[in-house]
Amino acid sequence: MTKPSEFEHGQNAGHSTEAVLFGVVEHGEQRTAAEALHELQLLAATADYVVAGCMVQHRRHPDPHTYLGAGKLAELAEVVKLARSGAVICDDSLTPNQAKKIEAAVGVPVLDRSELILQIFSMHARTPQARLQVELAALQYEMPRLRRKWTHLERQRGGIGVRGGAGEKQIDVDRHMLRERISTVAREIKRIEQHKVREVASRPDLFTVALVGYTNAGKSSLMNRLCDAGVLAENKLFSTLDTRTRPWRLPGGRTILLTDTVGFIKKLPHELVASFHATLEEALAADLLLVLVDGSSPEAAGQLATVDEVLESLGAADLARVTVLNKLDLVEDRSALAEIWHKEPAAVAISVHSGEGLDTLHAAIQQELAEVENRCALMVPHTAGGLLAHIRAKATVISEFYTQEGCLLEVQASPALLGRLLSEGARYAELEDLPEGIKGIEITDDEPPARKS
Ligand SMILES: Nc1nc2c(ncn2[C@@H]2O[C@H](COP(=O)(O)OP(=O)(O)OP(=O)(O)O)[C@@H](O)[C@H]2O)c(=O)[nH]1
Ligand SMILES: [Mg+2]
């Protein structure tokens, strides 16, 4: 039987593009339908649907044939009629068969979570690569569903189903066309990816940090704040679909690279994961991950777990990482973050909006740099003086001292950069060569990285 709270009218009921949202939740779920389907509501709103209501059924598993039980399905049909809504949206992926049965019962188009996310991706895709990746995912999603589409059309024309009919032939034609298009799109994506691989390979040897995290956590906003990047950041899910890399000038003048990319979400359609794999891999070819979490969300711990799962599936679970809790300005009771602090004691809490915690974030980055880079003394002879600007931009300079021979520096730099500097005229010096009183004196305006013991 339905509890009264299981169907709740959305605030926007009464508009033209209305949809009723529905899902299955576990027995014992205490939240109201609207709360349990909160994320689906955000997705629906991002895709320009007006939420007419939310309905959930408590059961152990969705029904394999109809998703909801028969009684609940009839109830959904009733709600659709009452609300005069034009669509229903399911919180899970539906099999083609489940979708067909629900559509027959409710009499309006059925969308599942995957289709909704695909619609959003397609609305937000801006670059040719993202557009093709979304198209590929959509084509692959459509392939097993052709029969449903044609059964529907045959019925509308008063036919008796698709077996052996005109629809069956049309399905073959469509399937052939889809396959052709899939291979064309896949080829085109490969071409763009190869070009990108060359682009990434030709990047200067700078330490690269990739921003990853749940959608809407504030990744693009953080990049804008740190890099003055002008990347679109908005209160919508999946605003960013493309990978963008920008120089990040650390306090003290040294530059590293920061990469922003597509956000994650729970139950991400596998067609999208496959099609965006290269984009994600490009981002994950970083030296360090900044895993951003919306600390103000009641779902923060669950969202972090989803991010971990996606990272694991991409083989990136072991990359060096700093977990960052964002939107601290919205967290009234900071003890609410206890669960995450417990799991990630080194997590840094920040607010992109207020700027709180950004200095701690910078220090954490310096700490990570110190973990993977070498600290040494270099002599740059006057004849190779051109290298100095290069060193100051790409390495952390801890101290520098001019001698008759050249500039003696104490630096912390990546092994690759050190190799380049040595081949271009710098040479190792002994740290002891630095005059007493100069050695270890910080000339940058940031914290000197801790020495490794
Ligand atoms: N109050 C508050 N809002 C923030 C903060 N950081 C980001 N936001 C807001 O959160 C929303 C999402 O920010 P984005 O930067 O687009 O998030 P994203 O992680 O890039 O999201 P996708 O690209 O969709 O995956 C925007 O409305 C931001 O203004 C913060 O520190 N405090
Ligand atoms: Mg973004």
Side-chain angles (χ1 to χ4, degrees):
M1 279 303 290
T2 326
K3 291 185 203 152
S5 63
E6 281 179 330
F7 173 73
E8 291 155 17
H9 272 284
Q11 289 177 336
N12 292 319
H15 289 66
S16 53
T17 49
E18 287 176 1
V20 177
L21 314 189
F22 66 100
V24 161
V25 294
E26 283 178 22
H27 288 292
E29 168 65 80
Q30 295 296 316
R31 291 177 301 175
T32 63
E35 284 165 356
L37 299 180
H38 176 69
E39 186 170 273
L40 190 65
Q41 292 191 58
L42 292 180
L43 286 167
T46 302
D48 289 340
Y49 287 92
V50 174
V51 177
C54 295
M55 174 189 268
V56 292
Q57 181 169 34
H58 291 82
R59 50 187 296 154
R60 196 157 350 135
H61 301 294
D63 183 280
H65 306 293
T66 50
Y67 186 77
L68 297 174
K72 202 71 184 176
L73 200 52
E75 207 178 296
L76 181 64
E78 198 56 32
V79 167
V80 165
K81 226 198 255 156
L82 277 175
R84 293 212 190 99
S85 60
V88 291
I89 306 179
C90 178
D91 194 33
D92 282 297
S93 279
L94 295 169
T95 64
N97 203 33
Q98 283 172 326
K100 193 170 116 187
K101 294 236 164 82
I102 298 171
E103 202 159 294
V106 298
V108 292
V110 181
L111 260 92
D112 68 6
R113 189 182 171 92
S114 297
E115 264 174 303
L116 190 60
I117 295 176
L118 276 168
Q119 278 189 9
I120 296 171
F121 268 62
S122 120
M123 285 159 70
H124 291 179
R126 288 177 191 94
T127 61
Q129 186 187 18
R131 285 206 192 103
L132 287 166
Q133 285 167 321
V134 176
E135 185 181 349
L136 182 62
L139 290 169
Q140 278 163 345
Y141 179 85
E142 204 168 314
M143 194 68 150
R145 288 168 176 80
L146 277 179
R147 181 173 295 278
R148 177 181 145 214
K149 197 170 96 192
W150 279 100
T151 314
H152 195 75
L153 284 180
E154 287 275 297
R155 282 230 188 86
Q156 279 181 352
R157 286 200 223 111
I160 48 155
V162 289
R163 280 224 171 272
E168 188 75 3
K169 283 197 202 91
Q170 196 54 49
I171 290 171
D172 286 341
V173 173
D174 279 10
R175 201 170 276 150
H176 179 70
M177 279 167 56
L178 272 187
R179 280 213 190 93
E180 297 252 295
R181 183 68 193 149
I182 285 174
S183 60
T184 310
V185 172
R187 252 199 323 272
E188 188 57 18
I189 291 177
K190 189 135 233 129
R191 200 183 56 76
I192 297 180
E193 278 166 12
Q194 276 162 354
H195 178 74
K196 281 236 167 158
V197 169
R198 284 198 297 276
E199 222 176 70
V200 173
S202 68
R203 238 179 231 166
D205 48 6
L206 292 177
F207 190 84
T208 306
V209 178
L211 269 169
V212 294
Y214 214 74
T215 181
N216 218 38
K219 300 178 292 298
S220 303
S221 307
L222 180 60
M223 184 185 217
N224 285 340
R225 174 117 198 183
L226 297 172
C227 310
D228 202 10
V231 173
L232 176 73
E234 53 185 349
N235 198 15
K236 284 190 170 173
L237 306 188
F238 302 112
S239 301
T240 310
L241 297 185
D242 314 301
T243 303
R244 267 163 235 246
T245 300
R246 297 281 184 278
W248 176 9
R249 199 161 180 271
L250 296 177
R254 169 180 186 171
T255 301
I256 59 175
L257 295 177
L258 187 63
T259 297
D260 179 25
T261 191
V262 56
F264 303 158
I265 196 164
K266 70 172 188 252
K267 302 188 236 173
L268 192 63
H270 62 88
E271 291 90 352
L272 275 175
V273 178
S275 150
F276 275 78
H277 205 260
T279 303
L280 289 165
E281 267 188 342
E282 182 196 336
L284 297 175
D287 300 294
L288 175 70
L289 297 182
L290 277 194
V291 180
L292 201 62
V293 186
D294 175 356
S296 72
S297 164
E299 305 290 333
Q303 294 182 350
L304 184 55
T306 298
V307 172
D308 283 335
E309 274 167 33
V310 180
L311 288 176
E312 175 126 37
S313 74
L314 292 166
D318 295 330
L319 276 180
R321 65 188 262 174
V322 173
T323 304
V324 183
L325 304 178
N326 186 29
K327 308 199 188 179
L328 205 54
D329 56 299
L330 298 179
V331 182
E332 276 172 23
D333 175 12
R334 295 192 179 184
S335 65
L337 300 175
E339 189 182 344
I340 296 187
W341 288 122
H342 181 70
K343 194 172 162 266
E344 307 259 351
V348 176
I350 64 162
S351 163
V352 172
H353 278 193
S354 74
E356 184 182 355
L358 291 182
D359 46 351
T360 319
L361 178 60
H362 281 124
I365 299 294
Q366 297 283 15
Q367 185 72 40
E368 291 295 329
L369 282 166
E371 293 280 331
V372 293
E373 294 186 333
N374 299 334
R375 193 156 168 164
C376 62
L378 282 182
M379 167 57 80
V380 180
H382 293 306
T383 48
L387 287 181
L388 286 174
H390 200 60
I391 295 175
R392 290 189 193 109
K394 295 187 173 179
T396 302
V397 179
I398 296 140
S399 61
E400 61 180 83
F401 179 74
Y402 285 87
T403 68
Q404 277 192 330
E405 192 191 340
C407 187
L408 197 54
L409 308 112
E410 189 180 0
V411 297
Q412 178 196 293
S414 68
L417 178 62
L418 283 175
R420 274 250 314 276
L421 295 172
L422 293 170
S423 72
E424 289 173 20
R427 62 176 171 74
Y428 277 127
E430 292 298 321
L431 269 177
E432 288 66 41
D433 293 346
L434 286 162
E436 240 359 277
I438 295 289
K439 188 164 43 182
I441 287 184
E442 189 202 348
I443 57 141
T444 54
D445 55 4
D446 56 350
E447 286 281 307
R451 265 178 200 276
K452 285 179 81 178
S453 52

